[in-house]
Amino acid sequence: MNIRTFILIVTVAAVMSACKTTKYSESASKKPVAGAEVAPKVTNVTAKLDVNVQTRTDNITVDGRLYMRLNEMIRITVVPFGLMEAARLEFTPQEVLLIDRVNKQYVRAKYEEINFMQSNNINFQALQKRFWDEYQKKNITLDVGAAVLNIKVSKIDHDDSWNATMTSISSKYKAVSVAELIEQLARF
């Protein structure tokens, strides 16, 4: 398995496992101080990601981008070595789309079709809460078993010019099942 495929699989594993490891409690709402300006509600976030993947044998850094539009979409693009997009992960309220641009394959599934997500009660709302809460921390560490990911978030913006519709797939790409993707993950 080449390095690009490894990076894609570790990134997918991180996103899929990130939500099961942390439970959130609703925080009490804070009352604004008299005379203080109330910040406008943020509905769009874009950010640069630097993901360092540490395994027993490798230490790889991958660039990426995070795009979020409240209640519509979470998109993560993975660009190893800053050259080309190797992977794209898209989450909408209805479905998940994982695109492996290197091997020209993809998975499109509803949340309930992915056993891991269903058994851990992971849906769009849970993912959105996780990403919306975490992007502001700027330094995120995820232990996904086969690797440790250290994610640095930078260049945060609230740009709304990106297209929040699901990426259309070229006929050159092969649809694979969630089971095939899990089988690739299990090889590590």
Side-chain angles (χ1 to χ4, degrees), residues 35-52:
E37 246 181 70
V38 177
K41 183 176 181 180
V42 174
T43 58
N44 287 284
V45 172
T46 60
K48 181 182 183 304
L49 301 177
D50 292 313
V51 181
N52 178 261

Side-chain angles (χ1 to χ4, degrees), residues 144-164:
V144 295
V148 174
L149 284 82
N150 295 301
I151 303 168
K152 293 185 186 208
V153 180
S154 62
K155 298 184 181 176
I156 298 170
D157 194 2
H158 303 291
D159 180 20
D160 66 351
S161 65
W162 60 280
N163 185 353

Side-chain angles (χ1 to χ4, degrees), residues 92-111:
T92 68
Q94 295 79 28
E95 64 184 349
V96 176
L97 176 63
L98 310 170
I99 304 171
D100 173 358
R101 298 225 186 258
V102 174
N103 297 307
K104 297 204 181 301
Q105 60 185 11
Y106 70 96
V107 173
R108 183 185 305 265
K110 296 189 182 318
Y111 293 90

